[in-house]
Amino acid sequence: MPSFDIVSEIDKVELRNAIDQSNKEVTNRYDFKGSDARIETGDKTLTLFADSEFQLDQVNDILVSKLAKRGIDVRCMDYGKLEKVSGNKVKKTVTVKEGLEGDLAKKIVKMIKDAKIKVQAAIQGEAVRVTGAKRDNLQEVIALLRKEIVSDMEGGFPLQFNNFRD
């Protein structure tokens, strides 16, 4: 039976490259000379440092442009609050969202069942597996999810449809 997986993941190598390019641009730009502006990485977090709130916004803009060039969906970034560090220096923590949380996975399964398409959807860890008798039914599910979740006007959520098997 044909099936596919609905996941939300990013390419870690491309993310690393985008961060490295952003740091390189920040160190080379004239308006950042002598400042402590940089991007540090953690496990699933990025920390943006700068001397002022304006510079922090500039660092964020550089990062977003590099992510877009590398094909990473910017909607997978969850921005934290602006924090004062020492003196007038500021930092902001950015969490990289990866995987489908339980609530979103349940919402996807419910949406598929409410659409009355002849497929079965099951939550498997941080992915949702959709199985059906016909390939056309699976393509209907992909179109439904792209319309409802991916292109949602309130920001949406980046989904990928992979592991398609016939």
Side-chain angles (χ1 to χ4, degrees), residues 12-23 66 70:
K12 289 182 179 29
V13 174
E14 292 294 338
L15 178 66
R16 180 84 226 148
N17 288 339
I19 293 167
D20 290 343
Q21 283 181 345
S22 299
N23 275 328
K66 298 300 180 188
R70 290 273 175 187

Side-chain angles (χ1 to χ4, degrees), residues 39-84:
I39 302 170
E40 291 182 356
T41 60
D43 184 27
K44 286 190 174 184
T45 60
L46 309 174
T47 308
L48 284 65
F49 292 94
D51 289 343
S52 67
E53 204 172 321
F54 177 74
Q55 280 189 343
L56 190 71
D57 291 339
Q58 294 295 312
V59 171
N60 185 41
D61 290 345
I62 292 169
L63 177 64
V64 167
S65 71
K66 298 300 180 188
L67 290 172
K69 282 183 184 175
R70 290 273 175 187
I72 297 174
D73 199 334
V74 183
R75 294 177 295 180
C76 69
M77 303 299 197
D78 189 23
Y79 293 94
K81 292 183 179 178
L82 185 74
E83 302 173 29
K84 299 273 185 193

Side-chain angles (χ1 to χ4, degrees), residues 71-154:
I72 297 174
D73 199 334
V74 183
R75 294 177 295 180
C76 69
M77 303 299 197
D78 189 23
Y79 293 94
K81 292 183 179 178
L82 185 74
E83 302 173 29
K84 299 273 185 193
V85 183
S86 62
N88 59 351
K89 297 184 187 282
V90 291
K91 76 175 185 175
K92 185 183 283 191
T93 305
V94 180
T95 307
V96 179
K97 295 187 288 188
E98 195 169 29
L100 298 177
E101 291 109 21
D103 294 339
L104 183 61
K106 288 176 186 175
K107 180 181 174 184
I108 290 172
V109 170
K110 184 178 183 318
M111 190 179 300
I112 292 171
K113 289 186 179 187
D114 290 346
K116 304 260 192 261
I117 302 172
K118 294 182 180 179
V119 295
Q120 292 82 37
I123 300 172
Q124 295 184 339
E126 292 188 341
V128 175
R129 164 100 14 116
V130 179
T131 309
K134 296 181 182 176
R135 174 182 264 183
D136 292 341
N137 293 343
L138 297 179
Q139 290 172 341
E140 280 183 59
V141 170
I142 291 173
L144 171 75
L145 291 175
R146 280 204 173 122
K147 186 178 125 205
E148 294 295 325
I149 293 178
V150 176
S151 65
D152 189 10
M153 287 301 164
E154 291 89 43

